[in-house]
Amino acid sequence: RQGREKGGGRPPLLILSGGETTVTFDAGFVAPEGGGKGGRNSEYLLALALELEGAEGVFCLAADTDGRDGSEQNAGAFCDPGTLQRMADAGVDPLKELREHNAYSAFLKAHDLYHTGPTGTNVNDFRALLVL
């Protein structure tokens, strides 16, 4: 795979996982007026984006196989090295949005939502993390 290896000759790494994640609330959590928007996949991905802090060569997808992640009409969201910068450019504070369980709005403003439309099946939640 010449030309596809990066970072000291390492081949690309793809990590796949399935299963439903769990969203937890701090004891003192007070929902914002109107409540947060989104679902567990976009919330997971926003937390991951904050952990990665724009790490180069890391690309992620988290989605629900039925085509709907929580309260909105997106299946999930994408994350790449520019996600947090796009959020900042759009005036989004990703940590605040995560604390208010409003990941949908953060990814919407970054143009990183993943839409499939209804799939007619609900097999599982799906996550893919590609490290180049």
Side-chain angles (χ1 to χ4, degrees), residues 14-21 40-42 44-45 60-66 75-77 114 122-129:
L14 177 62
I15 301 169
L16 303 173
S17 68
E20 294 184 352
T21 59
R40 60 182 164 254
N41 291 293
S42 52
Y44 158 83
L45 201 59
C60 311
L61 165 69
D64 196 313
T65 59
D66 68 0
Y114 175 54
N122 190 12
V123 177
N124 214 336
D125 288 357
F126 173 79
R127 290 164 297 280
L129 189 142

Side-chain angles (χ1 to χ4, degrees), residues 20-24 40 43:
E20 294 184 352
T21 59
T22 302
V23 173
T24 57
R40 60 182 164 254
E43 181 149 331

Side-chain angles (χ1 to χ4, degrees), residues 23-88:
V23 173
T24 57
F25 294 89
D26 293 335
F29 174 75
V30 176
E33 187 174 325
K37 291 184 177 182
R40 60 182 164 254
N41 291 293
S42 52
E43 181 149 331
Y44 158 83
L45 201 59
L46 184 54
L48 181 61
L50 286 163
E51 281 294 316
L52 292 172
E53 295 184 40
E56 289 299 315
V58 181
F59 302 84
C60 311
L61 165 69
D64 196 313
T65 59
D66 68 0
R68 187 169 182 188
D69 181 33
S71 65
E72 305 307 311
Q73 298 300 315
N74 63 304
F78 294 103
C79 170
D80 63 40
T83 295
L84 292 180
Q85 185 60 55
R86 286 189 298 278
M87 288 179 184

Side-chain angles (χ1 to χ4, degrees), residues 108-126:
L108 174 69
K109 291 177 182 172
H111 303 286
D112 284 343
L113 291 176
Y114 175 54
H115 292 275
T116 62
T119 65
T121 184
N122 190 12
V123 177
N124 214 336
D125 288 357
F126 173 79

